[in-house]
Amino acid sequence: EVTPENEDTRISEHFQLRDFLTHDQEAVWPKYLVLRASLVDKLELVIAQLESRGIRVAHMQVMSGFRTPLYNARAGERGGRSKISRHMYGDAADVFVDNDGDGRMDDLNHDGRIDSRDARVILDAVEQVERQHEDLVGGVGVYRATHAHGPFAHVDVRGNRARWGRR
């Protein structure tokens, strides 16, 4: 149960409860959140892996964490959401590095552009984390920018390896 009083609770070095809340039910309190600790662990390890490669991560933005089944169904598969989305189980997050706070992915590969190749940098870090931590294996998807959002990476801990998107 998440309330206005506890939504800022820090759950790890880089994340608070609020980061993983569903985007529907804006005015509804309390909110309920499903969040697997292994997802938070994996994201923290991905951040550490990026930083070990010289990529500063002051802020990893969770674009989408937990989704209620109703919220997930609203966009449907035509909107790019799976009917069985891992987000509904609390073990997936769509993320991007946003150190400058502009709401968009930063130029992680330093090529002067912001595109899906920057999300690929996150994918590469996930690959390394999964090699070192077999218990955190899961899915990684790379997504291009659209009119609604910039590029991002989907990261989950579903228990089996899955990859999709531009690689």
Side-chain angles (χ1 to χ4, degrees):
E1 184 176 277
V2 181
T3 65
E5 293 76 34
N6 72 4
E7 69 178 333
D8 293 327
T9 300
R10 188 151 298 282
I11 56 175
S12 71
E13 182 179 349
H14 294 94
F15 300 103
Q16 297 172 289
L17 277 176
R18 71 171 37 247
D19 295 325
F20 296 91
L21 288 173
T22 188
H23 293 295
D24 62 345
Q25 305 173 347
E26 294 281 327
V28 174
W29 293 100
K31 297 179 189 306
Y32 292 89
L33 172 66
V34 178
L35 179 62
R36 288 191 44 200
S38 56
L39 174 64
V40 178
D41 291 343
K42 185 173 187 175
L43 292 173
E44 287 290 351
L45 289 167
V46 167
I47 290 169
Q49 182 59 226
L50 290 167
E51 290 183 333
S52 77
R53 297 176 182 186
I55 299 168
R56 185 174 152 274
V57 183
H59 179 67
M60 179 174 276
Q61 178 68 42
V62 178
M63 189 169 92
S64 183
F66 173 68
R67 293 183 192 150
T68 63
L70 177 62
Y71 180 72
N72 193 72
R74 282 190 187 139
E77 292 206 12
R78 285 185 298 176
R81 293 185 189 157
S82 167
K83 289 181 182 178
I84 56 169
S85 171
R86 299 309 316 171
H87 291 270
M88 296 186 300
Y89 299 94
D91 64 3
D94 297 334
V95 298
F96 58 91
V97 175
D98 182 21
N99 293 328
D100 60 11
D102 68 355
R104 298 285 211 187
M105 173 81 80
D106 291 348
D107 183 10
L108 302 184
N109 64 359
H110 307 293
D111 68 355
R113 294 179 294 214
I114 310 270
D115 57 27
S116 61
R117 287 177 285 228
D118 298 298
R120 172 99 170 107
V121 172
I122 296 172
L123 180 145
D124 292 342
V126 169
E127 294 279 8
Q128 185 63 37
V129 166
E130 287 186 2
R131 280 192 289 278
Q132 296 171 353
H133 303 272
E134 291 180 13
D135 57 320
L136 298 178
V137 71
V140 181
V142 172
Y143 290 85
R144 296 179 183 196
T146 69
H147 68 281
H149 59 73
F152 65 92
H154 167 99
V155 178
D156 71 49
V157 289
R158 69 181 63 200
N160 60 295
R161 184 172 164 37
R163 301 293 185 265
W164 63 93
R166 189 173 186 190
R167 295 189 49 140

